[in-house]
Amino acid sequence: MTANETMKSEPAPARQTRLTPAQWAQAKALLETGQMTKAGLARKFGISRQSMSEGMNKRGAIYGSRCHVVEEACIEGLKDDAARRAEEIVALREKQLKATELLHRLQMKAMADAVRDDRPLSSLLSEAAAISLLIKNQRLIRQQLWGLYGLRDQPATADTVEFVVSERPAASIGDRHA
């Protein structure tokens, strides 16, 4: 079936002879904001192109004369959306920093407990591994959230703790203190 046959098979809207004042107002708004042409409006409202053109001329409607109103509304909406997103990003960053601080405090407490109990720092390997896993998960979550906001992830060292405890032979430790 060709495009012409398709158009012919669809019933045309019934022709009206007159539009109501509300319909004229709607048509004028659509024309002035550039959303529809006079020909498109004629089809939409079921009147001749000539009647639509005469009616619009009589009402002083000019195609696209109020596009700036739509543009300004769009710009204001975008500004509001950008401000809201900026607030959300700041709040997200604050949450990330609090989580990092918590992980840091957990690690420092574990170290302090080990020193107080006269245990070697190498005894913290399991706690360090668990905290390292939490840090990796935090980074992954941050990257995913940053991606949702269309931001590039910042370097991991900027706001995440990286702490590694490893067991060293006594000779290696002695060399460092010498």
Side-chain angles (χ1 to χ4, degrees), residues 31-124:
L31 183 76
E32 288 180 337
T33 57
Q35 294 176 0
M36 293 188 81
T37 63
K38 290 178 184 177
L41 290 168
R43 280 191 302 275
K44 175 180 174 71
F45 289 103
I47 62 174
S48 71
R49 293 169 105 178
Q50 182 180 353
S51 295
M52 181 58 70
S53 185
E54 288 172 0
M56 288 292 113
N57 291 341
K58 178 181 169 185
R59 287 164 178 80
I62 299 172
Y63 178 79
S65 64
R66 295 191 52 204
C67 284
H68 66 280
V69 174
V70 174
E71 180 184 23
E72 288 169 2
C74 289
I75 289 171
E76 285 304 312
L78 289 172
K79 284 180 182 177
D80 292 344
D81 187 47
R84 182 185 50 76
R85 288 176 64 112
E87 289 172 4
E88 289 174 359
I89 290 168
V90 167
L92 175 63
R93 183 156 175 83
E94 289 298 318
K95 287 179 185 177
Q96 288 289 318
L97 290 173
K98 286 180 182 178
T100 298
E101 185 180 332
L102 175 66
L103 291 173
H104 179 69
R105 278 196 244 145
L106 284 172
Q107 188 65 41
M108 296 307 290
K109 182 182 181 320
M111 288 174 59
D113 289 348
V115 169
R116 184 192 67 224
D117 297 342
D118 202 26
R119 290 183 289 145
L121 290 179
S122 60
S123 68
L124 300 175

Side-chain angles (χ1 to χ4, degrees), residues 15-33:
R15 287 275 179 183
Q16 294 185 167
T17 54
R18 307 191 75 167
L19 296 183
T20 65
Q23 288 174 316
W24 279 115
Q26 181 185 11
K28 182 178 178 187
L30 290 169
L31 183 76
E32 288 180 337
T33 57

Side-chain angles (χ1 to χ4, degrees), residues 105-164:
R105 278 196 244 145
L106 284 172
Q107 188 65 41
M108 296 307 290
K109 182 182 181 320
M111 288 174 59
D113 289 348
V115 169
R116 184 192 67 224
D117 297 342
D118 202 26
R119 290 183 289 145
L121 290 179
S122 60
S123 68
L124 300 175
L125 288 176
S126 61
E127 285 131 340
I131 290 174
S132 289
L133 182 61
L134 289 171
I135 290 170
K136 287 177 185 175
N137 286 338
Q138 181 188 11
R139 283 187 190 142
L140 180 63
I141 290 167
R142 183 186 60 207
Q143 288 171 348
Q144 290 172 345
L145 291 172
W146 261 214
L148 289 174
Y149 285 103
L151 302 173
R152 282 191 355 208
D153 190 29
Q154 296 175 353
T157 57
D159 59 1
T160 57
V161 177
E162 186 70 41
F163 190 80
V164 178

